[in-house]
Amino acid sequence: MRIMTRVVRASAIAAVAGGLMSAPASLPAQDVAIRNATIITIANGDIPNGTIVVRDGKISAVGANVTVPAGVRVIDGTGKFVMPGIIDAHSHGALEGGINEGSESVTPEVQVQVMNDAPMIYRSLAGGVTAAHLMHGSANTIGGQGRVIKMRWGASAEDLLFTGAFRIVKFALGENVTRASSTAPADERRFPMTRMGVDFTVRYWFTKAKEYDQEWAAYRAGMRSNPNAIEPRRDLRLEALSDIMKGDLKVHSHSYRGDEILMLIRVADELGFKVHTFQHVLEGYKVADEMAKHGAMASTFADMWGYKVEAYDAIPYNMALMSQRGVVVSVNSDSDERIRRLYQEAGIGVRYGNMSVNEALKMVTLNPAMQLGVDKMVGTLERGKDGDIAVFSAHPFAAEAMVEYTIVDGKVLFDRSQAATLRKAAEKEGGPGGTR
Amino acid sequence: MARRSLLAIPIVLPLAFATALAQTVDPGKSLTAPKTDYALTNVRIVTAPGRVIERGTVLTRDGRVAAVGANVTIPAGVVRMDLSGHTVYPGLIDAATSVGLPSPTRALLTEADAPAGGRGGRAGGGGRGAPLGRGGASPAAPVVLPEVDAGAEAVDMFAPTDAQMKAFRSGGVTTVGLVFNGGLFPGRVGAALTGSRDNSDQFALRAAVGQQVAFGRNRDSYPGTLIGALAFVRQAFLDAQYEARVEKAFKAGAPGARPSNNPFHRALMPAAANEMQTWFVASSERELARAAAIAKELGLKSPVFVGSREGWRAIPALKESGATAVVSTNWPAVATVTGRMFTAVGMGLSGTVPDEADSTIAREVRANAGALAKAGVPVAFASYGGNSGTTFRDHIRESISAGMSFDDALRAATVTPAALLGVTAAVGTIEVGKLANFVVVSGNDLFASGNPIKHVFVEGRIY
């Protein structure tokens, strides 16, 4: 078995290097099993001395008494903890061509562009992260569309995309949108410059989008009676807003304060769209009932008090309090650095607010999967789900825990025993990256 | 106007044309070259890639090929050139260069556009129509054309210096595709000669060859980023398609139909209707994939990807979109090639790129054109992004050394770009009626190392 493991590893390395030689392609399919580990399924409790088998990229078996088929690479999990691959619902890494199309405040027709060879992807694997939502920035009231990716290091940008994930567009509220920190003279700043203006901007553009929908509806209704009718102009911006109202494009809104969260909920209810997930949402604990009633989820920071005026009422109990009121909560990175230790961020929910360990772990697995529309595929360790797995040296909430293996679609893409020089690459780049 | 009608000139030149030509010459300006006709004799002739006459004659008349073959009767009054031991090739075509074209910043840097005194720089974007000034004497940041320049014709702006023309010819280049360097919708691609028979600066060969899309940004208005530009490009083509629908209804007399007559949308209508090819500036793996996706979404057939410097990494995308790869011989720096990081960061890798990986990339960069040709993607060589002329042939030689067949290389510098530029009737092969554009080298191999170019003919004039 030992020899075979080496052979498989060698071929995986060759495949990564091979990404250079030919048109980018996914790594070859690889079957893998982890035996004798504590398996944190998220969905069905923890299994001590359990085994999980991944075949053809999907979990084929998970349990206490599982036979590993012949020919499958086996990782000895004695003393290790296996959990679903970690999912980050809010990142700006691995993007190119701009994070913010900030020239105008409403740009839902814009879509971020994935940069497949950004080392941040491999760094994320080192933190057990297997999927992330790469978002447009928060400069605009209605920003651009993000992309949900899997961390398939070595693949083309197209092949990183997480098939089946939601289409998601970024909204933003508060200081970033109004450019509160801008020192430019007022006549050079962009509309909106106040929270009133943000409210108006949302109403104005959705009203336009409704007129646009009516124009198309009238055209379609009259097509039979009037064959000479001219097909209306397609407007990508209004089309995106229309998709939001239809539910085809999900809204993830950057937010901090309770009042702005309520404002967007009221405007959304009035105009007929849903805020799918509030991002950051540091004062979510103040308006959790209203969020739950609207059906909005929350993706927040674990502990980010006071780093800007809007964050003065941030408390580390936010995650626990929102969860208690029925809001589905995830904890996100918003940073190429924090993305490596999201499991520690989730642990803060246990310390502050007494979340159960499983509920806290959901904040970096199943809950972000629900927010990104991929919970049928990932987020728990269950038969039939994608083979996206993180293997830890100890329980992920233990201070000494390190990620030993990260597996995506059944392929071992991170193996700490073979990644001793990660640090060297990071140093050459000038450090592990920062926040945006 | 003369430039646009050139392709319509009958193959056999009537006397009337010669007279007309004489009339267009400024009487105050003496011709610097006599209108000499030549007979290139005892010469090996490569009339087209793979088509060779081992020993024959090429006869020119009035700037065109009058006869070519093993047995050609040479009329009186023709200058005979005995070229034993030499080979004559069709003049090379550089499918895309910005040499001789104005910078895409042209329209924004005029006196009228720069407000006196200017204003301080500003982070983020402003609204539409914001002032352009950046203050004082500080140099302007690189900016792009306003989108409304989509109708600008590169041939109308082509104003090369004598030195630039000489540089082209010194590399055997007798025809160039004119493609702007940067911008968003900087204008339309054109074709021009690198010299002319009467030397009267009438180099242009064809206008409106293609609609260029360059994915740049606007400085102080939407789009301010590449991600914005991608959306802007898609919307612009949709608008042009809409304008076409309205115009059609208008012409049919449909009540209420009224075209906007927006000059930007009107300029894009031919490309949006596939009556003109769209030339996307796209070089890297991801740029090529993005351009291919946009072409597919908008129904743009046979797009042209100018740059294509990582074409080998995007062959499926190129093939699916039916694209022609205009491969820049300005090879990308190894350190910039997509995926190089894969060789440094990952399992079993050291954190630094090994020398072998860099050598492999350097080889792949040079093998790019050959790999594309082998995969069935039409390839045209170009100096785009580089400084043209002199090194053009050297870089083609490197592609041949990296595995491209000689004929594929010659095709990529003659027949394919001629077709792409829509000037096959005039250039690309040595055939009766086409322009007398030749390169003459000693021996057999146009691309042999250290083989200097003996003569270059452009429109029958010897250089």
Side-chain angles (χ1 to χ4, degrees):
Chain A
M1 190 49 71
R2 202 171 172 78
I3 291 168
M4 210 195 96
T5 302
R6 279 192 190 144
V7 170
V8 173
R9 280 182 184 171
S11 67
I13 293 161
V16 170
L20 173 88
M21 310 289 290
S22 54
S26 294
L27 298 164
Q30 185 182 339
D31 294 342
V32 64
I34 304 150
R35 212 154 49 183
N36 283 327
T38 302
I39 298 177
I40 303 167
T41 66
I42 300 295
N44 303 303
D46 295 357
I47 306 168
N49 297 315
T51 297
I52 183 166
V53 183
V54 181
R55 306 204 74 173
D56 298 325
K58 306 274 183 198
I59 298 170
S60 63
V62 54
N65 299 303
V66 168
T67 312
V68 178
V72 172
R73 173 188 177 183
V74 174
I75 293 171
D76 178 11
T78 307
K80 301 186 201 308
F81 287 75
V82 177
M83 67 175 286
I86 291 168
I87 300 165
D88 186 359
H90 189 133
S91 169
H92 303 289
L95 293 177
E96 69 177 353
I99 306 292
N100 278 296
E101 174 53 58
S103 60
E104 297 185 4
S105 200
V106 177
T107 60
E109 72 281 11
V110 166
Q111 186 170 50
V112 298
Q113 296 297 316
V114 178
M115 182 174 175
N116 57 327
D117 55 353
M120 169 270 191
I121 293 171
Y122 191 72
R123 191 175 299 135
S124 303
L125 288 167
V129 175
T130 53
H133 178 206
L134 310 185
M135 302 183 80
H136 187 274
S138 53
N140 300 350
T141 309
I142 299 175
Q145 298 178 34
R147 274 292 169 80
V148 181
I149 67 161
K150 281 206 187 190
M151 299 296 177
R152 298 176 180 124
W153 180 240
S156 71
E158 187 69 22
D159 287 343
L160 292 188
L161 301 180
F162 198 145
T163 308
F166 286 148
R167 291 173 61 215
I168 302 172
V169 64
K170 176 78 168 276
F171 278 34
L173 307 167
E175 294 176 4
N176 291 12
V177 181
T178 58
R179 309 283 170 103
S181 62
S182 170
T183 54
D187 68 338
E188 288 194 10
R189 279 161 61 193
R190 187 197 67 188
F191 185 88
M193 283 186 274
T194 64
R195 289 165 187 272
M196 298 180 289
V198 175
D199 179 334
F200 168 81
T201 299
V202 175
R203 286 171 199 276
Y204 174 81
W205 279 94
F206 275 95
T207 304
K208 278 186 75 144
K210 284 179 189 213
E211 290 167 6
Y212 178 74
D213 278 348
Q214 283 161 9
E215 185 186 358
W216 273 93
Y219 164 72
R220 291 198 178 101
M223 256 165 45
R224 279 204 193 122
S225 55
N226 179 12
N228 294 325
I230 303 166
E231 187 183 315
R233 171 179 182 268
R234 270 188 70 197
D235 185 311
L236 296 174
R237 183 171 296 176
L238 297 176
E239 207 167 88
L241 297 177
S242 170
D243 286 350
I244 291 170
M245 289 189 285
K246 291 187 193 107
D248 295 341
L249 181 60
K250 308 295 185 195
V251 173
H252 279 216
S253 183
H254 165 113
S255 59
Y256 285 86
R257 282 174 22 183
D259 57 350
E260 67 194 17
I261 294 164
L262 290 182
M263 179 279 281
L264 189 60
I265 286 174
R266 287 175 189 142
V267 170
D269 286 343
E270 176 193 323
L271 294 168
F273 70 90
K274 285 284 172 207
V275 183
H276 189 266
T277 300
F278 281 97
Q279 293 281 346
H280 307 321
V281 60
L282 296 184
E283 291 185 15
Y285 64 94
K286 296 182 181 176
V287 291
D289 288 344
E290 288 81 357
M291 287 169 59
K293 187 175 168 224
H294 180 76
M297 296 191 257
S299 181
T300 187
F301 294 132
D303 183 3
M304 289 286 277
W305 176 82
Y307 77 101
K308 60 200 291 194
V309 175
E310 289 175 318
Y312 273 27
D313 275 4
I315 55 172
Y317 295 91
N318 189 34
M319 301 183 293
L321 291 173
M322 286 193 294
S323 297
Q324 283 167 20
R325 308 304 288 205
V327 176
V328 173
V329 177
S330 71
V331 58
N332 68 55
S333 80
D334 198 15
S335 148
D336 290 5
E337 181 277 313
R338 212 155 36 228
I339 197 168
R340 304 167 308 152
R341 51 183 178 84
L342 272 175
Y343 49 96
Q344 293 175 338
E345 299 288 286
I348 292 173
V350 179
R351 169 66 181 79
Y352 294 94
N354 293 322
M355 293 178 84
S356 77
V357 168
N358 203 60
E359 285 303 306
L361 281 170
K362 274 188 187 173
M363 295 197 295
V364 290
T365 53
L366 182 60
N367 293 358
M370 291 169 72
Q371 293 168 353
L372 308 184
V374 293
D375 51 302
K376 295 278 184 291
M377 294 165 270
V378 294
T380 61
L381 297 180
E382 291 177 272
R383 187 186 153 89
K385 281 201 164 180
D386 294 359
D388 292 8
I389 297 168
V391 181
F392 282 79
S393 60
H395 189 281
F397 288 169
E400 72 273 24
M402 298 229 282
V403 174
E404 299 208 332
Y405 301 92
T406 306
I407 301 168
V408 181
D409 300 327
K411 291 152 199 157
V412 179
L413 294 186
F414 176 76
D415 176 345
R416 186 167 296 277
S417 71
Q418 301 204 18
T421 53
L422 247 188
R423 187 176 308 226
K424 197 196 279 185
E427 279 166 2
K428 268 192 82 176
E429 276 179 63
T435 57
R436 284 192 183 90
Chain B
M1 218 52 225
R3 65 175 68 104
R4 295 190 195 212
S5 60
L6 193 137
L7 283 179
I9 296 167
I11 299 301
V12 180
L13 287 172
L15 189 67
F17 174 72
T19 312
L21 188 70
Q23 284 168 349
T24 63
V25 173
D26 179 355
K29 185 177 173 184
S30 68
L31 295 176
T32 52
K35 291 186 177 178
T36 312
D37 297 331
Y38 294 94
L40 284 57
T41 62
N42 299 317
V43 66
R44 181 170 173 269
I45 307 163
V46 177
T47 60
R51 299 178 66 179
V52 181
I53 298 167
E54 285 302 335
R55 193 177 185 83
T57 299
V58 180
L59 185 68
T60 77
R61 188 165 60 227
D62 291 336
R64 292 182 179 252
V65 178
V68 54
N71 300 300
V72 169
T73 308
I74 300 169
V78 166
V79 174
R80 286 168 183 260
M81 296 175 72
D82 186 339
L83 289 170
S84 306
H86 291 76
T87 305
V88 57
Y89 284 91
L92 299 183
I93 303 173
D94 178 346
T97 178
S98 306
V99 170
L101 292 177
S103 155
T105 64
R106 63 186 183 274
L108 293 182
L109 294 181
T110 59
E111 283 287 314
D113 285 335
R119 302 203 200 190
R122 22 194 290 193
R128 286 179 192 275
L132 300 165
R134 288 239 172 215
S138 62
V143 289
V144 299
L145 283 172
E147 59 272 22
V148 290
D149 271 9
E153 292 286 357
V155 285
D156 292 344
M157 302 178 206
F158 185 50
T161 63
D162 289 349
Q164 286 169 336
M165 283 303 219
K166 202 171 168 186
F168 280 122
R169 293 191 301 260
S170 73
V173 174
T174 58
T175 307
V176 287
L178 302 174
V179 180
F180 293 100
N181 176 24
L184 185 48
F185 283 96
R188 286 173 171 173
V189 176
L193 300 172
T194 62
S196 73
R197 179 170 167 77
D198 60 11
N199 204 29
S200 63
D201 295 346
Q202 293 298 305
F203 307 122
L205 197 52
R206 193 176 168 196
V209 166
Q211 190 66 51
Q212 187 181 348
V213 178
F215 300 115
R217 59 188 179 82
N218 274 323
R219 183 165 55 172
D220 270 337
S221 63
Y222 180 86
T225 58
L226 169 66
I227 56 173
L230 291 164
F232 182 91
V233 167
R234 293 164 61 222
Q235 184 65 60
F237 275 98
L238 291 174
D239 285 346
Q241 287 166 353
Y242 174 64
E243 179 77 359
R245 289 200 292 277
V246 176
E247 186 178 87
K248 190 178 164 200
F250 180 68
K251 283 180 176 165
R258 184 176 171 190
S260 74
N261 289 307
N262 174 313
F264 173 48
H265 299 155
R266 292 204 67 77
L268 285 181
M269 279 166 63
N274 279 312
E275 289 156 9
M276 184 187 292
Q277 273 176 302
T278 301
W279 289 48
F280 292 101
V281 175
S283 230
S284 72
E285 170 189 315
R286 292 188 292 271
E287 287 167 354
L288 290 165
R290 286 196 283 260
I294 286 181
K296 185 178 180 181
E297 177 192 346
L298 298 168
L300 304 177
K301 295 183 183 117
S302 313
V304 182
F305 297 153
V306 184
S308 294
R309 301 197 298 174
E310 293 179 10
W312 83 94
R313 296 185 66 90
I315 285 175
L318 286 164
K319 290 202 78 165
E320 201 203 325
S321 59
T324 297
V326 171
V327 174
S328 170
T329 55
N330 178 34
W331 312 131
V334 165
T336 66
V337 171
T338 307
R340 179 171 176 267
M341 198 52 79
F342 298 154
T343 68
V345 179
M347 286 194 298
L349 300 172
S350 68
T352 51
V353 181
D355 291 344
E356 310 89 83
D358 274 350
S359 323
T360 303
I361 296 170
R363 230 180 4 259
E364 286 174 325
V365 158
R366 283 157 182 78
N368 177 33
L372 290 170
K374 202 171 174 184
V377 176
V379 174
F381 277 120
S383 64
Y384 191 69
N387 63 356
S388 88
T390 45
T391 58
F392 190 59
R393 210 168 46 121
D394 299 330
H395 285 169
I396 294 174
R397 179 185 310 127
E398 289 181 7
S399 289
I400 293 171
S401 303
M404 193 178 201
S405 78
F406 182 92
D407 282 349
D408 278 349
L410 184 60
R411 192 171 292 115
T414 54
V415 178
T416 305
L420 190 63
L421 295 167
V423 291
T424 296
V427 298
T429 59
I430 301 177
E431 286 181 76
V432 172
K434 289 198 180 184
L435 297 185
N437 287 9
F438 318 129
V439 187
V440 180
V441 291
S442 67
N444 285 351
D445 189 349
L446 173 61
F447 299 114
S449 179
N451 192 9
I453 288 173
K454 189 97 172 177
H455 303 292
V456 172
F457 288 79
V458 186
E459 214 181 343
R461 186 172 191 264
I462 189 166
Y463 290 92

